[in-house]
Short mmCIF file of all heavy atoms in Angstrom, two decimals:
data_model
loop_
_atom_site.label_atom_id
_atom_site.label_comp_id
_atom_site.label_asym_id
_atom_site.label_seq_id
_atom_site.Cartn_x
_atom_site.Cartn_y
_atom_site.Cartn_z
N LYS B 232 -19.63 12.41 -6.32
CA LYS B 232 -18.65 12.42 -5.26
C LYS B 232 -17.91 13.77 -5.16
O LYS B 232 -16.94 13.92 -4.45
CB LYS B 232 -17.60 11.31 -5.60
CG LYS B 232 -18.15 9.87 -5.51
CD LYS B 232 -17.04 8.84 -5.72
CE LYS B 232 -17.62 7.50 -6.04
NZ LYS B 232 -18.18 6.85 -4.86
N MET B 233 -18.40 14.80 -5.90
CA MET B 233 -17.75 16.13 -5.80
C MET B 233 -18.81 17.18 -5.82
O MET B 233 -18.69 18.16 -6.52
CB MET B 233 -16.78 16.22 -7.05
CG MET B 233 -17.35 15.93 -8.37
SD MET B 233 -16.13 15.75 -9.66
CE MET B 233 -15.55 17.46 -9.81
N CYS B 234 -19.80 16.97 -5.00
CA CYS B 234 -20.83 18.00 -4.70
C CYS B 234 -21.89 18.02 -5.82
O CYS B 234 -22.81 18.89 -5.85
CB CYS B 234 -20.26 19.42 -4.45
SG CYS B 234 -19.37 19.49 -2.96
N GLY B 235 -21.73 17.32 -6.87
CA GLY B 235 -22.63 17.37 -8.05
C GLY B 235 -23.78 16.32 -7.88
O GLY B 235 -23.81 15.58 -6.90
N PRO B 236 -24.71 16.34 -8.83
CA PRO B 236 -25.91 15.40 -8.82
C PRO B 236 -25.45 14.00 -9.09
O PRO B 236 -24.36 13.73 -9.66
CB PRO B 236 -26.71 15.90 -9.99
CG PRO B 236 -26.18 17.24 -10.38
CD PRO B 236 -24.72 17.21 -10.06
N THR B 237 -26.23 13.04 -8.71
CA THR B 237 -26.04 11.67 -9.06
C THR B 237 -26.37 11.57 -10.59
O THR B 237 -27.19 12.39 -11.08
CB THR B 237 -26.86 10.71 -8.34
OG1 THR B 237 -28.25 11.14 -8.30
CG2 THR B 237 -26.43 10.58 -6.84
N GLY B 238 -25.89 10.57 -11.20
CA GLY B 238 -26.28 10.25 -12.59
C GLY B 238 -25.52 10.99 -13.64
O GLY B 238 -25.81 11.00 -14.80
N ILE B 239 -24.42 11.71 -13.24
CA ILE B 239 -23.61 12.43 -14.18
C ILE B 239 -22.10 12.13 -13.80
O ILE B 239 -21.75 12.21 -12.60
CB ILE B 239 -23.89 13.92 -14.24
CG1 ILE B 239 -23.14 14.55 -15.41
CG2 ILE B 239 -23.62 14.63 -12.95
CD1 ILE B 239 -23.74 14.28 -16.80
N GLY B 240 -21.28 11.80 -14.79
CA GLY B 240 -19.96 11.47 -14.57
C GLY B 240 -19.18 11.84 -15.78
O GLY B 240 -19.71 12.37 -16.76
N VAL B 241 -17.86 11.68 -15.70
CA VAL B 241 -16.99 12.15 -16.83
C VAL B 241 -15.96 11.06 -17.21
O VAL B 241 -15.42 10.40 -16.37
CB VAL B 241 -16.28 13.46 -16.34
CG1 VAL B 241 -15.28 13.82 -17.41
CG2 VAL B 241 -17.20 14.56 -16.00
N LEU B 242 -15.86 10.94 -18.51
CA LEU B 242 -14.67 10.25 -19.13
C LEU B 242 -13.82 11.31 -19.84
O LEU B 242 -14.26 11.89 -20.77
CB LEU B 242 -15.04 9.18 -20.09
CG LEU B 242 -13.83 8.58 -20.79
CD1 LEU B 242 -12.93 7.80 -19.85
CD2 LEU B 242 -14.26 7.67 -21.96
N TYR B 243 -12.59 11.51 -19.31
CA TYR B 243 -11.62 12.27 -20.08
C TYR B 243 -10.75 11.30 -20.90
O TYR B 243 -10.46 10.24 -20.40
CB TYR B 243 -10.62 13.07 -19.14
CG TYR B 243 -9.38 13.36 -19.81
CD1 TYR B 243 -9.17 14.53 -20.51
CD2 TYR B 243 -8.22 12.52 -19.72
CE1 TYR B 243 -8.06 14.84 -21.19
CE2 TYR B 243 -7.10 12.76 -20.32
CZ TYR B 243 -6.95 13.97 -21.09
OH TYR B 243 -5.76 14.20 -21.72
N GLY B 244 -10.54 11.61 -22.15
CA GLY B 244 -9.68 10.82 -22.97
C GLY B 244 -8.85 11.70 -23.86
O GLY B 244 -9.28 12.77 -24.26
N LYS B 245 -7.61 11.31 -24.08
CA LYS B 245 -6.74 12.10 -25.04
C LYS B 245 -7.47 12.08 -26.41
O LYS B 245 -7.90 11.11 -26.88
CB LYS B 245 -5.38 11.43 -25.13
CG LYS B 245 -4.50 11.89 -24.00
CD LYS B 245 -3.12 11.33 -24.28
CE LYS B 245 -2.19 11.64 -23.10
NZ LYS B 245 -1.02 10.82 -23.11
N GLN B 246 -7.39 13.27 -27.04
CA GLN B 246 -8.13 13.43 -28.27
C GLN B 246 -7.82 12.37 -29.31
O GLN B 246 -8.73 11.71 -29.93
CB GLN B 246 -7.83 14.85 -28.86
CG GLN B 246 -8.84 15.17 -29.95
CD GLN B 246 -8.99 16.69 -30.19
OE1 GLN B 246 -8.60 17.49 -29.32
NE2 GLN B 246 -9.46 17.04 -31.31
N ASP B 247 -6.56 12.11 -29.56
CA ASP B 247 -6.18 11.14 -30.60
C ASP B 247 -6.64 9.77 -30.22
O ASP B 247 -7.03 8.98 -31.14
CB ASP B 247 -4.70 11.21 -30.92
CG ASP B 247 -3.87 10.89 -29.64
OD1 ASP B 247 -4.33 11.28 -28.55
OD2 ASP B 247 -2.80 10.28 -29.80
N VAL B 248 -6.64 9.43 -29.01
CA VAL B 248 -7.08 8.11 -28.56
C VAL B 248 -8.58 8.00 -28.73
O VAL B 248 -9.08 6.98 -29.27
CB VAL B 248 -6.65 7.86 -27.11
CG1 VAL B 248 -7.08 6.45 -26.64
CG2 VAL B 248 -5.18 8.02 -26.88
N LEU B 249 -9.33 8.96 -28.37
CA LEU B 249 -10.74 8.93 -28.44
C LEU B 249 -11.16 8.91 -29.94
O LEU B 249 -12.11 8.24 -30.36
CB LEU B 249 -11.40 10.18 -27.76
CG LEU B 249 -11.45 10.29 -26.28
CD1 LEU B 249 -12.02 11.51 -25.79
CD2 LEU B 249 -12.10 9.02 -25.63
N GLU B 250 -10.44 9.64 -30.74
CA GLU B 250 -10.75 9.71 -32.14
C GLU B 250 -10.60 8.35 -32.88
O GLU B 250 -11.34 7.95 -33.70
CB GLU B 250 -9.91 10.73 -32.85
CG GLU B 250 -10.67 12.06 -33.21
CD GLU B 250 -9.86 13.29 -33.39
OE1 GLU B 250 -8.63 13.10 -33.57
OE2 GLU B 250 -10.49 14.38 -33.31
N ALA B 251 -9.60 7.54 -32.41
CA ALA B 251 -9.39 6.30 -33.07
C ALA B 251 -10.29 5.25 -32.53
O ALA B 251 -10.33 4.15 -33.07
CB ALA B 251 -7.91 5.84 -32.77
N MET B 252 -11.11 5.57 -31.59
CA MET B 252 -12.03 4.53 -30.96
C MET B 252 -13.34 4.54 -31.73
O MET B 252 -13.88 5.54 -32.14
CB MET B 252 -12.30 4.89 -29.56
CG MET B 252 -11.26 4.42 -28.55
SD MET B 252 -11.27 5.36 -26.92
CE MET B 252 -12.88 4.88 -26.31
N PRO B 253 -13.97 3.35 -31.87
CA PRO B 253 -15.31 3.21 -32.37
C PRO B 253 -16.29 3.74 -31.24
O PRO B 253 -15.84 3.77 -30.13
CB PRO B 253 -15.54 1.76 -32.64
CG PRO B 253 -14.57 1.07 -31.69
CD PRO B 253 -13.44 2.02 -31.51
N PRO B 254 -17.47 4.04 -31.63
CA PRO B 254 -18.47 4.49 -30.63
C PRO B 254 -18.75 3.44 -29.58
O PRO B 254 -18.45 2.28 -29.72
CB PRO B 254 -19.75 4.79 -31.37
CG PRO B 254 -19.35 4.83 -32.81
CD PRO B 254 -18.09 3.95 -32.92
N PHE B 255 -19.38 3.85 -28.55
CA PHE B 255 -19.80 2.96 -27.42
C PHE B 255 -21.28 2.56 -27.63
O PHE B 255 -21.54 1.46 -28.08
CB PHE B 255 -19.55 3.71 -26.09
CG PHE B 255 -20.08 2.95 -24.86
CD1 PHE B 255 -19.96 1.54 -24.72
CD2 PHE B 255 -20.67 3.66 -23.84
CE1 PHE B 255 -20.41 0.92 -23.62
CE2 PHE B 255 -21.15 3.02 -22.66
CZ PHE B 255 -20.89 1.68 -22.57
N LEU B 256 -22.13 3.53 -27.45
CA LEU B 256 -23.58 3.25 -27.62
C LEU B 256 -23.95 3.92 -28.97
O LEU B 256 -23.43 4.95 -29.26
CB LEU B 256 -24.41 3.76 -26.51
CG LEU B 256 -24.13 3.27 -25.08
CD1 LEU B 256 -24.91 4.06 -24.08
CD2 LEU B 256 -24.40 1.82 -25.07
#
Side-chain angles (χ1 to χ4, degrees):
Chain B
K232 293 184 198 285
M233 50 193 292
C234 294
T237 52
I239 188 77
V241 175
L242 172 67
Y243 157 88
K245 278 187 182 164
Q246 190 159 344
D247 57 327
V248 182
L249 289 178
E250 256 157 16
M252 277 160 62
F255 174 39
L256 302 173

